[in-house]
Structure formats: C-alpha cells, structure tokens
Amino acid sequence: MADDSTTTIRATFQTREAADLAVEHLVQQHGVSRPDIFIQSASDRNTTGSVPSGGDASHEEGARRDAPLAGEIEVSADIASNQVAAVQRSLGDAGALRISSH
C-alpha cells in the first residue's frame, strides 16, 4: 500500500530572491505544482525581505532604500511525507534560515 500522506513544510528567507530560488527548487527538483506553493511575509508586516537583493541591491547609487525591508519571507508547501529530507536539503541550498515541517 502506498503512503499518500503529506507534510506541510515551511522555510524562511532573508530575501525575496532566495525565496524565489526555493520555489524553483520545489517545482523543478521535487515536482511541486506552483499553485501549491505559498510565499508570504513571515510576520504581519509587508516586506520584501530583511536585506536588499536583486534589483534593490544593484543600483548605481548603491542599494535602494525605499524597499519595505521589514522582515523575512516564508515559503510553504504541502509535500509528500517521503520527500521531507530531500526538500529540506533543497531549501537549505536555496538559503533558508529556518525550516520546519509538520
């Protein structure tokens, strides 16, 4: 009998760039459907992360100061329980600060 159980995995990231990379890992390496992946602020504040990245960090005059750098970004998805260890490694490779599953 196959094990069809799922586990919710959550990971927090300092930047939106790292969160987007984690989503690509989930989709391309683990076959998670994009509509089943959620990205949100890890707190109740609107944020693009806690440090500048991507376009916010690469301006001629240095990092932009108008981006809402108010906290971390959370990525979550329901995954097959037998994928937890592999997904945790992928999220770590993408730069996760913390990873939890339940």
Side-chain angles (χ1 to χ4, degrees), residues 19-47:
D20 287 342
L21 179 61
V23 169
E24 291 307 313
H25 283 230
L26 290 171
V27 171
Q28 295 176 15
Q29 295 176 358
H30 304 288
V32 179
S33 177
R34 280 186 198 279
D36 295 332
I37 302 170
F38 302 93
I39 303 172
Q40 64 186 20
S41 172
S43 69
D44 60 353
R45 304 218 29 212
N46 182 29
T47 184

Side-chain angles (χ1 to χ4, degrees), residues 48-64:
T48 60
S50 57
V51 297
S53 69
D56 291 337
S58 61
H59 277 133
E60 299 164 1
E61 301 166 12
R64 291 180 56 172

